[in-house]
């Protein structure tokens, strides 16, 4: 079973052909997708999309770029929205010190509220981190000391040290199309050392289309190219990579019932 753990199907890039994109994903063998909430104000749109399709689930959260939209965001609101049907994760949330589209202190405060919601609900925390390795590692360790929660380091492109720190906390990691980029050997080196039973797949579409589709709008239908690259990096067969990532996905997103073969 192929599973795309991180899609952005409500993005403006899919406004004209969202249904066709979903149909192409299914035709390519994508059995499940998790569509990601990038800001709480968009949650109703994201949730409606999940409710309309049996093979699509969703998250609730605010991306660090959007943290300034609601700097007083409370864990209680996230927890309330997470109680809705088909909500399976908290996020995407985290720290992005590359673009700094929200003040860093606001990003950190909003991120900690997401952590509290993940801890309280038991849902996985979907973490975005860019050029914030030391601060991210510190926050994750500080918050784990308060009480455990499950972590997914989404589209992981940060350094090996943060990967080790996150792995020590039991984190999962998702591999994206960046793994196929010619200049991304450092990313492939980190992927080669990730815990074998905690790796899942994502496209992060419409962004980061894998080779040979690089430069195009990304779609869930392109996920098989990422699977093949992961298999190559880890020395797995395609079938082993598919089996391992499927098992890791259902251990992490355990609110999603595992479908029977042939069902959708």
């Amino acid at each position: 079973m192929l599973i795309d753990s991180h899609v952005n199907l409500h993005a403006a890039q899919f406004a004209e052909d969202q249904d066709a994109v979903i149909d192409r994903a299914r035709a390519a063998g994508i059995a499940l997708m998790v569509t990601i909430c990038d800001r709480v104000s968009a949650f109703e749109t994201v949730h409606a999309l999940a409710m309309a399709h049996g093979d699509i689930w969703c998250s609730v959260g605010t991306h660090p770029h959007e943290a300034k939209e609601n700097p007083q965001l409370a864990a209680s609101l996230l927890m309330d929205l997470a109680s809705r049907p088909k909500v399976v994760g908290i996020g995407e949330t985290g720290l992005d010190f590359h673009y700094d589209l929200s003040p860093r202190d606001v990003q950190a405060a909003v991120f900690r509220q997401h952590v509290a919601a993940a801890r309280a609900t038991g849902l996985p925390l979907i973490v975005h981190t860019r050029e914030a390795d030391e601060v991210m590692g510190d926050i994750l360790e500080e918050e784990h000391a308060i009480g455990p929660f499950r972590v997914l380091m989404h589209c992981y492109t940060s350094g090996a040290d943060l990967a080790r720190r996150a792995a020590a906390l039991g984190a999962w990691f998702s591999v994206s199309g960046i793994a196929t980029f010619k200049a991304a050997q450092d990313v492939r080196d980190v992927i080669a050392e990730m815990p074998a039973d905690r790796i899942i797949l994502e496209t992060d579409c419409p962004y980061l289309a894998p080779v040979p589709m690089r430069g195009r709008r990304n779609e869930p239908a392109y996920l098989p190219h990422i699977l093949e690259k992961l298999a190559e990096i880890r020395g797995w067969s395609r079938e082993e990579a598919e089996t391992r990532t499927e098992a890791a996905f259902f251990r992490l997103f355990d609110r999603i019932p595992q479908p029977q073969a042939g069902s959708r």
Side-chain angles (χ1 to χ4, degrees), residues 43 57-61 78-91 93 114-127 148-152 172 251-256:
F43 173 73
W57 302 73
C58 74
S59 69
V60 59
L78 295 168
M79 292 160 58
D80 181 60
L81 296 175
S83 69
R84 301 265 197 97
K86 302 202 78 177
V87 180
V88 297
I90 303 294
T93 182
H114 285 74
V115 171
R119 184 186 295 117
T121 62
L123 295 178
L125 183 75
I126 302 165
V127 175
F149 54 95
R150 290 182 294 165
V151 177
L152 170 60
W172 277 252
R251 282 195 301 273
L252 179 62
F253 289 100
D254 55 4
R255 187 176 283 190
I256 303 177

Side-chain angles (χ1 to χ4, degrees), residues 237-258:
S237 68
R238 188 187 189 283
E239 293 74 19
E240 183 180 4
E242 188 169 341
T243 299
R244 284 181 176 275
T245 55
E246 175 187 342
F249 175 88
F250 283 111
R251 282 195 301 273
L252 179 62
F253 289 100
D254 55 4
R255 187 176 283 190
I256 303 177
Q258 190 162 354

Side-chain angles (χ1 to χ4, degrees), residues 1-7 29-30 32-34 36 152-156 172-177 179-180 191 194 198-205 220 222-234 236 238-250 252-253:
M1 180 186 298
L2 285 174
I3 301 169
D4 194 338
S5 67
H6 199 109
V7 300
I30 311 306
L32 286 174
M33 293 172 272
V34 180
I36 300 299
L152 170 60
M153 305 301 285
H154 128 77
C155 188
Y156 193 80
W172 277 252
F173 298 83
S174 60
V175 174
S176 73
T180 70
I191 291 170
M194 289 175 177
R198 285 182 264 145
I199 302 173
I200 63 177
L201 299 172
E202 66 164 284
T203 58
D204 200 15
C205 65
Y222 301 162
L223 190 70
H225 297 289
I226 302 170
L227 174 71
E228 290 163 7
K229 179 55 70 171
L230 173 62
E232 176 187 316
I233 294 168
R234 298 294 304 216
W236 298 336
R238 188 187 189 283
E239 293 74 19
E240 183 180 4
E242 188 169 341
T243 299
R244 284 181 176 275
T245 55
E246 175 187 342
F249 175 88
F250 283 111
L252 179 62
F253 289 100

Side-chain angles (χ1 to χ4, degrees), residues 2 6 17 27 36-37 49 62 74 82-83 95 103 119 124 128 134 139 146 158 175 192 196 216 223 229 232:
L2 285 174
H6 199 109
D17 63 344
I36 300 299
C37 186
L49 181 58
T62 292
S83 69
L95 304 173
R119 184 186 295 117
H128 170 107
E134 184 174 355
I139 290 177
I146 295 170
S158 293
V175 174
R216 305 183 194 179
L223 190 70
K229 179 55 70 171
E232 176 187 316

